[in-house]
Structure formats: C-alpha cells, structure tokens
Amino acid sequence: MIIPRLVIADERREGAVPPGVILAAALKGAGHPLKIFCAGPDEYLVRLTTLVTGEEVTVLDPFSCGSTRVLKTLFQFASDSGRLNIVLAPLGKRGDDDGFVLFPQAPELSRLLECPLIPVVFADSSATMIARVLEKTVSGIAAQGEIPVPAVLFASVLNPREFQLLEIEAGRRIPLLSLGYIPKLLERNRSSLLELCLDSMAERAVFPVKAAASQLASIPGQIDWNALWGFARLNQEWTEVPEPFRGKAAGLTVGVVTHNGLELEGDNARRLFSYLGCSVRKIFLDEANPALDVNAVYVPHGPGFLSAEKILARQGMREWFSGLFRSRKVVFVNGGAAPLLGESFELPNGKQYEGMNLFRYRGKYGMPSDDLKKVEVSSLEGDILLNLGEKLRGYLPSYASVINPGDAAQSLWSVKEPGNGKEKGFSGWSQGYGVVTDLCIELWSNVEGIYRWLVLRKK
C-alpha cells in the first residue's frame, strides 16, 4: 500500500495564525491535491484549516484513539494514495533565553506513521538566534527516536537578504535543506474560535488567511512545493493493519447533523461510520423536512448554543429532534449540543432559556476557548454503548458543561483523568437507544462499542 505522507510541524506564536495552515492552503492553491490531518485535539486548528482550505480534516490523537493500531487504522482508512497526505502539528514555542519548548505531538506522529517531519520556524529575529533555535529543535526531535528531519521552512522572514543570512548561519550549525520561506508581510493575526463558528463572521475572519495563502502560492520559486512531494515519498510504502470491523454495519444509513456551530471535531465520526460500511447522509438544520429514513443520527461537537435557535425555536425541528429519542432511534449527541437537551441552559452572557426537557439536567455555556482536558470514561453499570470494563476517550471542553442536580439525571459514565485515575465527575445520559454526553468523545476509541450500538435496532 502506498501513502505519500509528511508531518509539517510549525512553531506556535500567541496571537498569530499557525504558519502550517497558510502553507497547506498555498500548497492546494498551487495545484497539489491534499488530504489534511491535524494533530489534536485542537479545535481552532481544525476549524480554521477546514475553512481556509475547503478540505475535510481528520484529527489524529494517539491518546484519544486508545492504541497505535487504531490510530494507524484511522490514518490508513482516511488517507489517499493519490494525494499528498500532510499532518499539521505544533512544533513548540519560544521560551526564555533563546530556548525552545518542543511539543511531543509532531515527533510522536512522525514516529508512529514512519514519515519525515518538516519543521517551520519563525525567523523575524537575528539569523544567529534563529539558527540556534533550529539546532536545539532538531536535537530535541532526534532525542525522541529515529525521526527523519530532511529540511526546514521559515516563517515571517523580513526580506530576501535576511533569508540568505539565515541559510548561511543555519547551514553552519545543521545540515538541513531549506525549502524557502513565508514572508513577514504574510503573517496573519489569529481570530477567535467563536468568530470561526459564526455564520455571519467566519468568511470575513478567514479571508486574510486565504489571501495570504493565495499570494504565497503565486510567488514563483518562493517555496519548493515539489520537494515536499519528494520527502513525502521517502517512506511512502505503508504496512497495512488489519481492519476487523470494516463493512460490518453495511446497509445502515447514518444521518449527521450539519451546522457551522457543530464543526470542531473533524470528520473522524463520519470516517468511522463509512469504515463500518454505513451510508452517511448530511442533515442540515435548515431542511424543511429532516430525514426520517435514517437508521441512526449523530450530532457532532461544537459550541451548541450557536445552533440553539434552529434546534429549539424553528418550527418542526424541535419536534423532530425530540421525536428521535421517543421513537427509540439510535442517536449520539457528542459534546457541545448536550446542554440544549436538558431542562434549561445558560448562555455566555448569563441569560437562561428553556431546553428540550429530554433529560433532567441543566446546561451552561461559556465562550469557546482552547482549554481542553483529556479524559477517559467507563460505564458505571454497563449500558447500551459500553460493557463493564470498556472505556471511551476524548476531552472535556471548558465552554459546554452539564450541571447535574444530584442523582436525578442518572449518569451512565464515570469520568477520570488519564494516567492518575482521578475522578472528574460523571457524564453520559440515555433515553431509548439515544446517548448524550457533554464530553467530546472520540468514537474511534471504542470501535466495537460503536458497532454494537449502531446495530441495536437490527436485533
């Protein structure tokens, strides 16, 4: 099996758009077909990359997937042998005294996927300082294992003269091929996650990033795009992993609710349903008559209060949504929309509104942020999704939560911190064959459990 693949790991700077997003969009603009993955969880990166490139993004997170085998299965199924498969990951951030804090995601994914890593380093200070940072970065990557780092890209370079000095100084310290640079004038300020999720603001927020990518793609010889393909093909042979559940749920149709406020988890869930053999159909909240002939409905994660009006106030939609649970449809509501289904919910401005009254809890929303805490859940007694002893993994978004009034809501799952097993509370509520959680669950963390849940109605 052939999969051209590459990890592009960019330095992160507070308030600035990650350079990897501009590179990916410029690469596509230059005519190169892409399949984009993001190291996660990173809701901002997923949403921004989707909007700027127009491509669906798959999230790769070794923890959330639960095992290396599952991570490789996800990558194997989602990748495309005819495209350049790139993984956007954080390289690290600048520390004090010219130090550099290397993040673990990029080296880990490069090692697991057995592919080269291309660092992208901000270079708007002295050439000597940047060369020193690059040297420390490469040595830090080498300490993580045998990870090929064949070349480097620079971001925010002031002018061609500074780039020449940088190439000379970096060349003295470490033998890396330079593929070019992103000029300083193409650096863009970061918008908020909320702006990226709002219908009225998303396009305006990403326009400067799209413009920068278009300008970068149009500059002849600015970046050696073909070299990226060459490095991606260095280790393009892929050892296939077994796929025991592939196609086992064939014949089922899963409807996925689609809304800009529910687009922060990537396309992982849709990929899983397709992997299991299901037909996947998008359900738009603007539809006059939402699909009734689907076997299951999935509601993705995002700041659900942005879709509250269309779910709760739009004529027919509230009845359709609540009817899914009462008709014992197979339903999974993942993360941010869960607070809408309780007795009431509070918006970030403090105002409270009546919920759908399907579950006996209250919901609360804050402003969307990057504060995500990884969690692991297990069933308290065994339920329609998890057997005793089985687990699911995901993360807890800080801006969407459920306030449980005692034992009235009858939670399904115990939530714990990974590693130390510290209790974080409870989550998971069911009605009929429907499951709701205020956590963002990675469905790939328990493929067998998701398969069992999907085929409940066939029994």
Side-chain angles (χ1 to χ4, degrees):
M1 189 174 186
I2 301 299
I3 304 177
R5 56 197 186 274
L6 190 68
V7 173
I8 297 178
D10 54 9
E11 180 182 350
R12 297 297 165 89
R13 175 179 286 178
E14 187 175 353
V17 167
V21 177
I22 297 176
L23 283 171
L27 190 56
K28 181 183 178 181
H32 300 275
L34 300 180
K35 169 53 195 168
I36 303 176
F37 298 84
C38 284
D42 190 331
E43 296 180 352
Y44 174 81
L45 183 64
V46 168
R47 182 62 178 157
L48 179 65
T49 304
T50 301
L51 289 171
V52 172
T53 65
E55 299 285 339
E56 290 191 333
V57 173
T58 304
V59 178
L60 296 177
D61 178 24
F63 167 79
S64 295
C65 284
S67 70
T68 299
R69 178 185 60 80
V70 173
L71 177 82
K72 289 186 173 183
T73 301
L74 170 58
F75 179 78
Q76 176 176 290
F77 184 76
S79 60
D80 189 326
S81 60
R83 295 172 178 260
L84 177 57
N85 298 273
I86 61 172
V87 182
L88 300 181
L91 179 65
K93 63 180 180 179
R94 207 71 58 93
D96 298 329
D97 300 325
D98 301 337
F100 190 84
V101 180
L102 180 69
F103 295 161
Q105 294 98 319
E108 183 178 16
L109 286 172
S110 180
R111 178 175 54 81
L112 292 175
L113 301 179
E114 300 175 347
C115 65
L117 186 157
I118 305 296
V120 183
V121 180
F122 280 109
D124 50 359
S125 53
S126 74
T128 301
M129 180 184 298
I130 301 304
R132 191 181 303 126
V133 167
L134 180 60
E135 184 179 27
K136 292 178 180 178
T137 301
V138 174
S139 62
I141 295 172
Q144 306 295 317
E146 295 185 7
I147 299 168
V149 183
V152 62
L153 276 158
F154 296 101
S156 295
V157 178
L158 297 172
N159 53 56
R161 175 59 178 164
E162 290 293 331
F163 177 62
Q164 291 176 349
L165 294 173
L166 182 57
E167 281 193 304
I168 294 171
E169 187 62 32
R172 289 172 179 166
R173 291 177 175 270
I174 190 162
L176 286 185
L177 177 66
S178 173
L179 301 182
Y181 68 94
I182 304 174
K184 175 70 174 179
L185 60 87
L186 298 184
E187 184 177 328
R188 292 293 182 264
N189 293 329
R190 173 174 174 151
S191 54
S192 70
L193 183 57
L194 179 62
E195 288 178 290
L196 298 181
C197 296
L198 286 168
D199 291 335
S200 60
M201 301 183 69
E203 190 57 38
R204 185 173 62 188
V206 301
F207 178 78
V209 186
K210 287 183 175 180
S214 178
Q215 188 173 348
L216 180 62
S218 67
I219 304 175
Q222 185 67 32
I223 291 179
D224 191 345
W225 304 116
N226 291 324
L228 292 175
W229 274 98
F231 292 129
R233 292 188 175 114
L234 283 176
N235 298 323
Q236 65 178 350
E237 292 187 11
W238 175 264
T239 303
E240 292 190 55
V241 295
E243 298 180 339
F245 286 93
R246 186 162 187 163
K248 290 193 69 174
L252 297 179
T253 300
V254 180
V256 178
V257 174
T258 303
H259 184 270
N260 282 344
L262 302 171
E263 293 284 341
L264 298 187
E265 63 177 69
D267 67 353
N268 294 37
R270 293 190 291 272
R271 295 280 181 183
L272 178 58
F273 299 140
S274 297
Y275 166 76
L276 292 172
C278 304
S279 298
V280 180
R281 179 187 305 174
K282 290 184 178 180
I283 298 175
F284 296 94
L285 295 180
D286 291 325
E287 290 183 32
N289 298 300
L292 297 175
D293 56 344
V294 295
N295 302 103
V297 173
Y298 177 76
V299 183
H301 165 66
F305 65 90
L306 299 180
S307 60
E309 184 175 355
K310 291 189 175 182
I311 292 177
L312 299 177
R314 187 169 170 269
Q315 186 175 6
M317 183 58 66
R318 185 186 186 111
E319 290 75 14
W320 171 80
F321 209 93
S322 59
L324 293 174
F325 292 87
R326 298 191 177 102
S327 64
R328 298 177 70 81
K329 283 275 188 181
V330 177
V331 187
F332 194 104
V333 179
N334 201 8
L340 302 178
L341 307 187
E343 297 171 343
S344 65
F345 61 93
E346 181 181 319
L347 295 181
N349 61 9
K351 292 184 178 180
Q352 292 194 8
Y353 295 88
E354 182 183 358
M356 201 170 286
N357 276 305
L358 289 173
F359 300 94
R360 296 184 62 188
Y361 58 65
R362 291 172 289 122
K364 184 175 182 179
Y365 287 109
M367 293 298 291
S369 71
D370 294 333
D371 185 15
L372 310 174
K373 294 181 173 60
K374 294 184 178 183
V375 294
E376 187 173 69
V377 303
S378 56
S379 181
L380 294 170
E381 299 178 352
D383 53 70
I384 61 172
L385 190 60
L386 292 179
N387 293 329
L388 279 173
E390 290 185 334
K391 298 182 186 299
L392 285 165
R393 287 181 168 182
Y395 60 88
L396 174 65
S398 63
Y399 56 84
S401 59
V402 163
I403 304 171
N404 188 355
D407 297 326
Q410 298 178 347
S411 306
L412 299 175
W413 305 328
S414 170
V415 182
K416 297 181 179 180
E417 288 185 5
N420 60 21
K422 183 179 178 181
E423 290 280 355
K424 295 290 292 183
F426 302 94
S427 188
W429 300 270
S430 67
Q431 185 176 134
Y433 293 141
V435 177
V436 175
T437 176
D438 58 337
L439 309 173
C440 181
I441 295 295
E442 172 56 78
L443 302 190
W444 285 87
S445 64
N446 193 331
V447 176
E448 183 176 357
I450 298 300
Y451 164 71
R452 287 197 311 265
W453 167 76
L454 278 173
V455 300
L456 276 172
R457 292 299 298 270
K458 298 179 78 174
K459 293 182 179 180

